[in-house]
């Protein structure tokens, strides 16, 4: 039996597979993949990864099964695995809103399920993945899966009942940050800045600010105060943003993001 099978070969699945192969965690010969578009598998079969003829075949061949498909198609994928899946499989779902109970019910037995919410920066090896598990998954099985995702960034364990709530923190937040960056860069371009210069300055500022948050040991309130001089430009800008509803807008986005995750899992 191969170590890991991956159903789906989209960007996220490709990033995880490349992270595993790049770190040498699992030999290419111990990995099998399936996608309805067989052409997507070519970059991996060239590296020695096996291609399954069906998702059901892959499940029979592999211990760990990464379900790297969209939430909307998950019910159909799981239905096709009934009869092939067994107690020896560990299913790893990265689909937003899909619960362990949903997977177990669709498969028809008390399957081993690990839920993961990764984000797109795994594509550049700087991802942030949140993982949870419940029995009958063992600690050893969970740590094996955590290591797979840590190969493309960081991997943090959270409580199973927070898998939807974590989505705006790491899963959807890259898009929120890109939108904020877009606003700043477009505004700078409108004032005469070169787009590349404005983008590099803002991106480096985000990178540096993230390092300050992680490494300074200071609370966010203090980091904010370090930038704000009394009566200065930063304070004036923050006051205008708050006056125009910054906190309410972001809070509404976070709440709706979580609500949509629950809708997808129904």
């Amino acid at each position: 039996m191969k170590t890991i099978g991956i159903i789906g070969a989209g960007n996220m699945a490709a990033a995880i597979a490349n992270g595993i192969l790049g770190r040498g965690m699992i030999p290419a010969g111990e990995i099998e993949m399936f996608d309805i578009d067989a052409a997507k598998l070519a970059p991996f079969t060239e590296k020695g990864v096996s291609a399954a003829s069906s998702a059901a075949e892959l499940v029979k061949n592999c211990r760990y099964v990464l379900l790297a498909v969209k939430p909307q198609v998950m019910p159909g994928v799981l239905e096709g695995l009934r009869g092939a899946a067994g107690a020896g499989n560990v299913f790893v779902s990265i689909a937003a809103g899909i619960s362990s109970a949903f997977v177990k019910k669709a498969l028809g037995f008390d399957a081993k399920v690990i839920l993961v919410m990764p984000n797109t920066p795994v594509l550049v090896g700087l991802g942030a993945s949140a993982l949870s598990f419940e029995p009958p998954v063992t600690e050893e099985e969970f740590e094996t899966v955590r290591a797979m995702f840590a190969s493309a960034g960081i991997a943090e364990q959270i409580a199973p009942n927070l898998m939807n709530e974590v989505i705006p923190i790491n899963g959807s937040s890259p898009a929120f940050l890109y939108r904020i960056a877009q606003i700043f860069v477009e505004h700078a371009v409108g004032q005469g800045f070169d787009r590349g210069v404005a983008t590099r300055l803002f991106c480096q500022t985000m990178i540096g600010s993230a390092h300050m948050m992680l490494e300074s040991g200071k609370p966010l309130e203090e980091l904010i105060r370090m930038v704000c001089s009394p009566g200065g430009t930063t304070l004036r800008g923050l006051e205008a943003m708050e006056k125009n509803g910054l906190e309410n807008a972001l809070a509404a986005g976070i709440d709706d993001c979580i609500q949509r995750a629950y809708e997808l899992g129904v």
Side-chain angles (χ1 to χ4, degrees):
M1 178 172 276
K2 295 182 184 296
T3 302
I4 183 169
I6 303 175
I7 299 176
N11 287 337
M12 198 66 73
I16 295 164
N18 284 326
I20 293 170
L21 291 169
R23 293 283 184 92
M25 288 182 57
I26 301 171
E30 287 294 309
I31 303 173
E32 188 164 288
M33 298 181 71
F34 170 76
D35 193 279
I36 54 174
D37 182 357
K40 290 183 178 179
L41 302 179
F44 300 99
T45 55
E46 290 171 1
K47 298 177 182 178
V49 173
S50 300
S53 61
S54 69
E57 177 191 318
L58 179 145
V59 168
K60 291 178 181 178
N61 294 342
C62 303
R63 181 181 180 193
Y64 293 90
V65 179
L66 175 62
L67 301 167
V69 298
K70 297 183 183 301
Q72 295 88 338
V73 302
M74 183 69 83
V77 170
L78 294 174
E79 179 65 27
L81 300 182
R82 273 181 175 255
N89 295 122
V90 179
F91 291 91
V92 183
S93 171
I94 63 172
I98 300 298
S99 66
S100 294
F102 185 101
V103 176
K104 292 171 187 281
K105 182 177 180 180
L107 291 175
F109 70 101
D110 187 22
K112 295 182 177 181
V113 181
I114 297 174
L115 301 180
V116 186
M117 176 48 57
N119 60 19
T120 54
V122 299
L123 294 168
V124 293
L126 294 171
S129 299
L131 303 87
S132 72
F133 79 103
E134 298 174 304
V137 176
T138 67
E139 288 280 353
E140 180 183 1
E141 290 166 338
F142 175 76
E143 288 304 326
T144 296
V145 173
R146 193 219 293 259
M148 293 179 190
F149 284 86
S151 70
I154 67 166
E156 297 282 351
Q157 182 179 358
I158 65 170
N161 65 332
L162 293 177
M163 285 305 299
N164 287 341
E165 283 72 14
V166 81
I167 294 173
I169 297 174
N170 75 312
S172 297
S173 56
F176 303 154
L177 293 174
Y178 299 149
R179 179 65 180 119
I180 291 170
Q182 185 181 43
I183 292 169
F184 275 87
V185 170
E186 291 298 332
H187 199 78
V189 170
Q191 292 184 327
F193 283 90
D194 174 81
R195 184 179 299 276
V197 170
T199 300
R200 288 190 293 275
L201 286 171
F202 194 81
C203 286
Q204 186 60 38
T205 299
M206 287 198 294
I207 293 168
S209 299
H211 279 285
M212 288 283 286
M213 289 172 63
L214 290 170
E215 298 171 13
S216 71
K218 300 180 185 298
L220 290 175
E221 293 81 359
E222 185 173 347
L223 290 175
I224 293 170
R225 285 197 299 270
M226 289 170 63
V227 189
C228 296
S229 301
T233 57
T234 308
L235 190 58
R236 181 74 169 267
L238 281 174
E239 289 172 347
M241 290 177 187
E242 293 295 346
K243 182 179 179 180
N244 283 276
L246 174 65
E247 183 172 349
N248 288 339
L250 292 176
I254 291 168
D255 291 341
D256 274 20
C257 179
I258 295 170
Q259 178 60 38
R260 180 55 179 155
Y262 279 103
E263 292 170 357
L264 289 169
V266 173

